[in-house]
């Protein structure tokens, strides 16, 4: 089973700042089969990024994903008020398709 | 519009059985893998397993194998998650979610259902 580790656990930033979230896998994720999701309180997760770097439909271009192998990242170029949430990475290259523990982005 | 609508919140006692549902609409239900994700109170997302309604091929996470049963009835476009004997530790929000691409096993989840809160307490 591939274990995903996300860092930092919590990121405290101000609106307008840049956020960089990390997701590291215990073994290589084949074909960059990695997705990122955003979850706000009381809501279901929402897909942001798939294939490590492709934005989902309707996702603003301030969100970008990169990486391959075991190291991936999600960058939010300028934080908007609605971006303060928890972000999860998920690998779907090897069953079980595990999630990372999440990074909370909160307001500084 | 593609939609997944889950059944309502449940309150059960330890030892009871339960089956929750997830009804898909707006697409050919049989042709997309659909899965279940657990979120315990204040915790992260856990991938439980997926099913292909077309032939009921099912994959479980080892953490959930034998603990739950995932099934689907393609005739009514509905997937299910069931327990034969609930424990207090099964208290969680359960989400269903569909694979984004038709027929593809290795895929991301999009869209998601609204979640079903299961509370197990004596």
């Amino acid at each position: 089973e591939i274990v995903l580790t996300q860092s930092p656990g919590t990121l405290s930033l101000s609106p307008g700042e840049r956020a960089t979230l990390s997701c590291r896998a215990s073994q290589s994720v084949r074909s960059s089969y990695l997705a990122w999701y955003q979850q706000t309180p009381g809501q279901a997760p929402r897909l942001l990024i798939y294939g490590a770097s492709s934005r989902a439909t309707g996702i603003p271009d301030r969100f970008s994903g990169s990486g391959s192998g075991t190291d991936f990242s999600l960058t939010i170029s300028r934080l908007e008020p609605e971006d303060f949430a928890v972000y999860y990475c998920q690998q779907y290259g090897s069953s079980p398709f595990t999630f990372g523990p999440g990074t909370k982005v909160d307001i500084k | 519009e593609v939609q997944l609508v889950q059944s309502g919140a449940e309150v059960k006692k330890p030892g009871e059985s339960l089956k929750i549902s997830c009804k898909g609409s707006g697409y050919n239900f049989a042709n997309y893998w659909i899965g279940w994700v657990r979120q315990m109170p204040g915790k992260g997302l856990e991938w439980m397993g997926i099913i292909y309604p077309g032939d009921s091929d099912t994959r479980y996470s080892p953490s959930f194998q034998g603990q739950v049963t995932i099934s689907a009835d393609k005739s009514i476009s509905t997937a299910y998650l069931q327990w034969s004997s609930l424990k207090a530790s099964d208290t969680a929000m359960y989400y269903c979610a569909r694979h984004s691409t038709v027929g593809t096993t290795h895929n991301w989840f999009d869209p998601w259902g609204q979640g079903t809160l299961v509370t197990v307490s004596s």
Side-chain angles (χ1 to χ4, degrees):
Chain A
E1 172 173 326
I2 295 179
V3 176
L4 299 179
T5 303
Q6 291 187 242
S7 61
T10 301
L11 195 53
S12 296
L13 295 168
S14 300
E17 289 195 293
R18 181 185 187 89
T20 302
L21 289 64
S22 172
C23 176
R24 180 162 290 176
S26 60
Q27 53 189 281
S28 184
V29 177
R30 77 166 173 115
S31 303
S32 296
Y33 283 167
L34 189 109
W36 290 92
Y37 302 87
Q38 176 195 65
Q39 189 178 33
T40 52
Q43 299 298 313
R46 175 175 75 141
L47 175 72
L48 297 176
I49 301 286
Y50 61 91
S53 60
S54 297
R55 265 189 307 278
T57 302
I59 301 303
D61 60 8
R62 64 180 181 272
F63 291 92
S64 63
S66 64
S68 64
T70 60
D71 290 305
F72 299 87
S73 63
L74 174 71
T75 299
I76 311 170
S77 59
R78 286 178 58 84
L79 283 163
E80 297 288 341
E82 61 268 27
D83 299 337
F84 292 92
V86 181
Y87 294 84
Y88 296 95
C89 57
Q90 182 206 14
Q91 66 81 22
Y92 50 92
S94 174
S95 183
F97 299 157
T98 47
F99 289 94
T103 290
K104 182 178 183 180
V105 179
D106 66 13
I107 299 177
K108 189 173 182 180
Chain B
E1 179 196 5
V2 175
Q3 237 184 337
L4 298 174
V5 178
Q6 298 185 229
S7 50
E10 301 275 0
V11 179
K12 292 288 191 179
K13 290 182 167 38
E16 292 186 332
S17 63
L18 176 64
K19 193 173 189 177
I20 63 175
S21 66
C22 170
K23 184 172 176 61
S25 62
Y27 71 100
N28 190 333
F29 184 80
N31 291 352
Y32 289 77
W33 289 84
I34 190 164
W36 291 93
V37 176
R38 184 175 78 175
Q39 188 167 39
M40 298 177 77
K43 301 299 184 183
L45 305 174
E46 299 175 89
W47 189 89
M48 301 177 72
I50 52 174
I51 187 167
Y52 188 73
D55 61 6
S56 294
D57 185 7
T58 309
R59 316 285 172 89
Y60 289 94
S61 165
S63 299
F64 292 94
Q65 178 89 47
Q67 308 304 308
V68 297
T69 300
I70 295 171
S71 61
D73 184 342
K74 62 185 178 183
S75 70
I76 55 171
S77 301
T78 301
Y80 301 97
L81 178 66
Q82 70 180 89
W83 297 258
S84 59
S85 181
L86 286 160
K87 301 184 282 288
S89 57
D90 292 318
T91 294
M93 180 72 80
Y94 292 89
Y95 293 102
C96 67
R98 195 201 74 174
H99 275 187
S100 182
T101 307
V102 61
T104 306
T105 311
H106 296 268
N107 211 232
W108 56 93
F109 282 138
D110 185 44
W112 293 63
Q114 83 277 18
T116 295
L117 181 62
V118 173
T119 303
V120 183
S121 174
S122 54

